[in-house]
Amino acid sequence: MRTANGRALVTGGAGFLGSHLCERLLHDGYSVLCVDNYYSSTKDNIAHLLDNPRFEVIRHDVTFPLYVEVDEIYRGFGICQFDQDCHAEERDLPDRRPDRP
Ligand SMILES: NC(=O)c1ccc[n+]([C@@H]2O[C@H](COP(=O)([O-])OP(=O)(O)OC[C@H]3O[C@@H](n4cnc5c(N)ncnc54)[C@H](O)[C@@H]3O)[C@@H](O)[C@H]2O)c1
């Protein structure tokens, strides 16, 4: 589902920080794609979001390539160097990641 605010991908979206980030993005009108391998978390952190039609989860280790079409990418945990380890399709869209002023 695409909304006025577009689609946001959150790496580590099931973690402590990531799940709150997912909540905030949903609150702000985004469709959210949460990507997490549950290395240090469980689905408990995002259980309350699963019924939201604008929320999707993929179980995936982001150190491996993932090709998805999103408008914005948010890093929900500190280890991932997205440009080096991950790949996402961001065709014709400005880079508005929060860690890229
Ligand atoms: N209630 C609280 O105050 C509370 C609770 C939990 C954590 N914390 C604190 O928050 C800080 C860290 O929280 P956080 O959100 O960064 O950690 P986190 O472990 O909760 O979240 C990291 C997320 O990244 C995921 N992840 C890790 N490697 C991955 C990979 N390769 N691919 C995909 N997903 C991957 C993990 O499974 C996890 O869901 C710490 O300082 C911690 O002590 C506080």
Side-chain angles (χ1 to χ4, degrees):
M1 177 183 288
R2 193 179 175 94
T3 63
N5 278 339
R7 286 172 56 88
L9 183 155
V10 179
T11 62
F16 176 64
L17 298 176
S19 59
H20 285 92
L21 184 52
C22 289
E23 276 175 25
R24 174 59 192 263
L25 290 165
L26 288 168
H27 179 265
D28 288 352
Y30 286 85
S31 285
V32 174
L33 178 59
C34 167
V35 180
D36 202 299
N37 65 354
Y38 306 113
Y39 174 75
S40 61
S41 65
T42 68
K43 279 187 185 163
D44 289 353
N45 287 339
I46 51 169
H48 60 296
L49 304 177
L50 295 174
D51 285 340
N52 190 321
R54 287 187 284 111
F55 185 70
E56 267 185 278
V57 191
I58 296 178
R59 184 185 196 121
H60 177 76
D61 181 337
V62 297
T63 62
F64 291 91
L66 173 66
Y67 295 95
V68 289
E69 192 168 342
V70 294
D71 301 306
E72 301 180 20
I73 299 170
Y74 294 83
R75 189 183 298 172
F77 73 109
I79 303 167
C80 177
Q81 298 297 314
F82 208 94
D83 287 338
Q84 293 171 15
D85 299 335
C86 313
H87 309 274
E89 196 173 350
E90 298 177 278
R91 267 180 281 177
D92 305 325
L93 292 165
D95 190 339
R96 290 183 287 168
R97 282 173 271 183
D99 59 341
R100 297 289 187 84

